[in-house]
Amino acid sequence: MGIEQEYFGKTGDGREVAAFVLSNAGGMHVKVASYGAMIVSIEVPDRGGRMADVVLGFDALGGYLGKDNPYFGACCGRYANRIAKGRFSLDGVEYSLAQNNGPNALHGGLAGFDKKVWDAKIEGDSVRMSFASPDGEEGYPGTLKIELAYSLSEENELKLEYSATTDRKTVLNLTNHSYFNLAGGGSILDHIVQINAERYTVVDDTAIPTGELRTVDGTEMDLRQPIPIGQNISSVQGGGYDHNYCLGQSAGGEPVLAARVVEPRGGRTLECLTTEPGVQFYTGNFLENIGGKGGAVYNRQEGFCLETQHWPDSPNHPEFPTTELAPGETYAQTCIYRFGTD
Ligand code: BGC
């Protein structure tokens, strides 16, 4: 395992952004950058040893800074996913957030964690990113100190370890928003997906949970047995998966296998493990004509996300696993993206 630091560019206000390349003996390379604590590239071999970059993104920092960037590879927060009407209350105090996605708040607001330059350094075998979100930033209470450590194992596991503390009670939900394409490009509809979830959170037409947890049994939402992503997708609400699957709570805080995706031609596999109670499976339904890496143009359903997280709009659903964090508590979550071949 080795880590090299390099210069990635400067933001509009002149802040330097660093990139780090993590490599292992198997020849896997992962590039992460301090802007948005994001994953820039993941190069892994297929079953014939051919390398490809399996995440969507841009050639240079400029693309990530642009308004066309649909959160490629970024860490979303303070609250990833949606909060209904941008409102929630905590201990009787009402908080109001930017409504940046129809009537709702999405991915932490107008300048969420995906748009911040994080502090970043190599520490042992990991790249440690940290960031302090001031009290009141984007409408959220409490100064939140966050750390995200990236490490790569010799078993081709990219591990993301999150931790956070606050000085006032707040809500948080952190995720990584990588768009994967295990063929390195083209449609993802022939990728085979399996998600180990019996229920999902039913959403209204603005993608806010109604509160109902519905069984996937006998429906187009059932991904418990591996099937092509495209097999039932036209029957899915909105014409594509963009839903939170409810995972069994992990015992003893160990990450559990939430999802497995296989690209049948090259045989690359991705397994997603998490300590979180949910995973948002999003099939890139809103990608449209985005000029990406190496001249690629990304369109609808050419990337998929496995956003491990708490359930959407939890602050307004006391019956959902809580997203509250109080002073003295430490938020800790782990996500592993494990690559291989079949
Ligand atoms: C959401 C999608 C959204 C995408 C990009 C996903 O997490 O569920 O609805 O379009 O992020 O913003």
Side-chain angles (χ1 to χ4, degrees), residues 6 107 151 213 250 274:
E6 54 188 54
H107 295 333
S151 57
L213 309 183
S250 78
T274 182

Side-chain angles (χ1 to χ4, degrees), residues 70-71 81-82 101 106-107 177 179 242 280 282 286 307:
Y71 304 90
N81 215 316
R82 291 172 178 81
N101 185 253
L106 178 69
H107 295 333
H177 210 298
Y179 290 68
D242 191 1
Q280 181 89 5
Y282 171 55
F286 302 115
E307 302 160 57

Side-chain angles (χ1 to χ4, degrees), residues 69-72 76 80-82 101 106-107 175-177 179 206-207 241-244 280-287 305 307 309 312:
N69 178 7
Y71 304 90
F72 280 153
C76 295
N81 215 316
R82 291 172 178 81
N101 185 253
L106 178 69
H107 295 333
T175 197
N176 177 270
H177 210 298
Y179 290 68
T206 74
Y241 297 91
D242 191 1
H243 292 82
N244 167 64
Q280 181 89 5
F281 180 46
Y282 171 55
T283 45
N285 313 314
F286 302 115
L287 293 175
C305 303
E307 302 160 57
Q309 57 189 248

Side-chain angles (χ1 to χ4, degrees), residues 5 15-18 20 32-38 113 116-123 127-133 146-150:
Q5 180 168 352
R15 296 199 58 193
E16 208 162 284
V17 175
F20 300 84
V32 297
S34 59
Y35 181 74
M38 66 176 164
F113 296 175
K116 307 290 179 191
V117 179
W118 295 48
D119 291 324
K121 58 174 190 259
I122 301 171
E123 228 177 73
V127 177
R128 199 165 286 275
M129 312 252 190
S130 57
F131 171 67
S133 173
I146 315 140
E147 278 201 0
L148 167 52
Y150 281 106

